[in-house]
Amino acid sequence: MKLTAFSDVSLRILLLLAGIDGRERLSTQTIADGVGTPYNHVAKSVAFLASRGWVESTRGRTGGVVLSASGRVVTIGAVLRASEGDVAMVECETHSNHTSCPMRNNCALRTVLGRAREAFFAAVDDIVIAELPNQRQMGPVFIELGLGPLAQRLPEISPL
């Protein structure tokens, strides 16, 4: 299963914000630089994450984005279920029914792939994103963004 770019960016944003652990608000541009993604994509993901209550975003000179209390406990599974939605793994799963597959009626493959998608989500349902950032991973990003001293407060390696 391949994640959408939207899900990937959303997870990266949460990782970055978890790494600074609410110590500082980051601008959307700083986040875009930190996660290596265009500003417009990051802005869309920040809006999505804010709508879910996982980040707090304020505009203006003293504004920025910070991980919320619920963002500190959100799991990868919850984020992916929300950001991926019910994305079809095979064409015949789409609601349009405009598939050329003659085997689409009572297809066992569709059922198996649906279970596989659910197993993937279940495998990441218990992994809290805020527990993942570590010094080796985030240190270079913090330095690049001018946040170097914060990296000293992260664990050396991830708990996983």
Side-chain angles (χ1 to χ4, degrees), residues 42-104:
V42 170
K44 182 178 175 184
S45 289
V46 165
F48 163 76
L49 295 169
S51 75
R52 296 290 177 163
W54 296 325
V55 301
E56 295 170 4
S57 177
T58 55
R59 294 179 181 254
R61 194 170 55 95
T62 59
V65 183
V66 66
L67 198 63
S68 69
S70 62
R72 285 187 209 98
V73 296
V74 70
T75 65
I76 295 173
V79 173
L80 291 180
R81 287 175 195 279
S83 61
E84 291 288 318
D86 198 16
V87 176
M89 290 187 71
V90 288
E91 186 178 320
C92 60
E93 279 189 305
T94 63
H95 298 295
S96 67
N97 283 332
H98 290 93
T99 180
S100 60
C101 179
M103 299 178 282
R104 70 179 173 266

Side-chain angles (χ1 to χ4, degrees), residues 10-24:
S10 297
L11 290 171
R12 286 196 238 169
I13 291 168
L14 291 171
L15 278 172
L16 178 65
L17 294 174
I20 61 170
D21 195 28
R23 294 178 183 95
E24 184 173 342

